Amino acid sequence: MKILSGNANQPLAEAISAYLNVPLTKAAIRRFSDMEIFVEVLENVRGEDVFIVQPTSFPTNDNLMELLVMIDALKRGSARRITCVMPYFGYARQDRKTGPRTPISAKLVANLLETAGADRVLTIDLHAGQIQGFFDIPTDNLFALPVLCEDFKKHVNKDDKLLVVSPDVGGVVRARAMAKRLDADLAIIDKRRERAGVSEVMNIIGEPEGRRCVLVDDIVDSGGTLCNAAQALIDSGASSVSAYISHGVLSGGAVARVASSPLEMLVTTDSIMATEAIRVCQNIRQVSIAPLLAEAIKRISEEKSVSCLFE
């Protein structure tokens, strides 16, 4: 087994490498003067089972192209099997036509990965589960929920009256799963989205008064929906509001928005490498999914079942 890391999230790749006690494969990844990407794998990979750790987060296009070039380099180096470990799958929000003459970019990315030579994909919390069907190669979509729930249990008091809240109707299944794990009640935010990145809370379906509320979602990008939901819950009498999110995209002014919001704490996984702004923010924290990914990589390499990782 070989583990190769791109530039998108080196700390995560190193944590996976340390967990498995498998050193990262040496590779040179650099840019020409016109920013073309060049990859040279500096170790023999002939007949090897290779795992590339590369989320396609910001800068999305650069990281995606880097992944495709790495796949091609390994394919031409006669690797036996190439697995793309993409903790965060970029373009996942473009999973259907939202209007006339619009793309389904998630399907395009799936086609690109397969054409480049990927044999398998391993990811965490796809924005839409049906994206697995866009691939004609085996695709494992792991859940970050067990990791997030374990962290939450370490920071909750037994006497707290918990309420798990979905910030929109589309996330109810995820929120219900967390509520079941925590033996908590469930509430739903009814929101209206006028355009991408702008939302307005309309109603709260549930009783947040006097409760410790936990917002659960897969992606936080601009932070507008999350912060509006937190404010609405506080206005409705919630004692505190925290959020557990799988992927902390946190683009633009999102970090400042979260810092000034009523959120007691925003917890994300390290599927996307934290920026300096995130690291210094007092109410944003990351938990590691390296053990989860490492265990999946080990099981895939040994041709064992990964089903237990979904529980």
Side-chain angles (χ1 to χ4, degrees):
M1 178 172 60
K2 297 275 189 181
I3 302 174
L4 181 65
S5 174
N7 291 319
N9 199 337
Q10 277 273 352
L12 178 60
E14 289 167 1
I16 292 171
S17 168
Y19 184 96
L20 294 172
N21 197 26
V22 176
L24 290 176
T25 299
K26 294 182 176 64
I29 304 172
R30 56 182 184 270
R31 302 286 196 275
F32 291 119
S33 58
D34 62 353
M35 299 309 291
E36 273 188 20
I37 297 166
F38 174 79
V39 174
E40 182 181 7
V41 181
L42 303 176
E43 296 180 22
N44 181 29
V45 294
R46 184 177 296 274
E48 295 281 1
D49 193 9
V50 185
F51 295 82
I52 308 173
V53 181
Q54 178 80 341
T56 48
S57 47
F58 178 84
T60 306
N61 298 332
D62 284 359
N63 287 333
L64 175 59
M65 193 65 202
E66 190 175 286
L67 175 59
L68 295 173
V69 175
M70 283 192 288
I71 294 170
D72 189 70
L74 291 169
K75 198 74 177 177
R76 296 177 190 280
S78 300
R80 176 172 58 85
R81 181 172 64 179
I82 302 168
T83 301
C84 299
V85 182
M86 304 171 69
Y88 174 71
F89 184 89
Y91 285 101
R93 285 172 284 182
Q94 298 182 51
D95 62 322
R96 65 195 184 282
K97 281 178 69 71
T98 56
R101 298 168 296 283
T102 56
I104 304 179
S105 303
K107 171 60 175 169
L108 172 62
V109 172
N111 289 345
L112 288 170
L113 292 170
E114 289 183 40
T115 301
D119 297 299
R120 192 181 191 105
V121 171
L122 174 62
T123 186
I124 288 183
D125 281 342
L126 285 170
H127 184 62
Q130 65 265 23
I131 293 174
Q132 292 175 86
F134 293 174
F135 289 91
D136 292 323
I137 55 177
T139 303
D140 293 304
N141 179 32
L142 301 179
F143 302 140
L145 198 59
V147 177
L148 297 176
C149 284
E150 282 303 311
D151 181 83
F152 180 76
K153 288 174 182 177
K154 296 175 184 176
H155 296 86
V156 68
N157 297 319
K158 292 182 179 179
D159 298 331
D160 286 336
K161 297 179 180 178
L162 300 179
L163 183 67
V164 176
V165 184
S166 173
D168 54 39
V169 175
V172 171
V173 173
R174 184 181 298 104
R176 185 180 291 118
M178 186 168 188
K180 185 177 180 181
R181 284 176 177 270
L182 299 176
D183 193 23
D185 293 330
L186 176 67
I188 305 166
I189 301 285
D190 173 30
K191 72 175 183 183
R192 177 174 61 191
R193 187 182 292 280
E194 296 290 347
R195 60 183 186 278
V198 179
S199 66
E200 177 186 355
V201 172
M202 303 300 291
N203 298 293
I204 299 175
I205 305 168
E207 298 295 333
E209 188 172 355
R211 301 289 195 95
R212 178 174 178 175
C213 296
V214 187
L215 286 157
V216 185
D217 209 350
D218 63 326
I219 296 174
V220 54
D221 188 354
S222 66
T225 294
L226 204 63
C227 295
N228 289 343
Q231 188 62 60
L233 290 167
I234 291 294
D235 293 343
S236 298
S239 60
S240 68
V241 183
S242 54
Y244 277 75
I245 312 293
S246 301
H247 307 296
V249 177
L250 296 169
S251 61
V255 175
R257 193 172 291 117
V258 170
S260 60
S261 75
L263 281 170
E264 185 179 273
M265 184 62 67
L266 166 60
V267 181
T268 71
T269 72
D270 57 352
S271 62
I272 298 172
M273 187 166 60
T275 62
E276 183 60 28
I278 293 172
R279 282 192 286 270
V280 300
C281 185
Q282 295 296 312
N283 61 340
I284 300 179
R285 180 165 57 81
Q286 284 193 334
V287 295
S288 182
I289 51 170
L292 175 64
L293 286 170
E295 192 61 37
I297 288 170
K298 180 181 177 182
R299 288 172 175 268
I300 290 169
S301 180
E302 295 175 351
E303 303 295 347
K304 293 181 179 178
S305 172
V306 296
S307 297
C308 67
L309 302 178
F310 292 89
E311 298 172 358

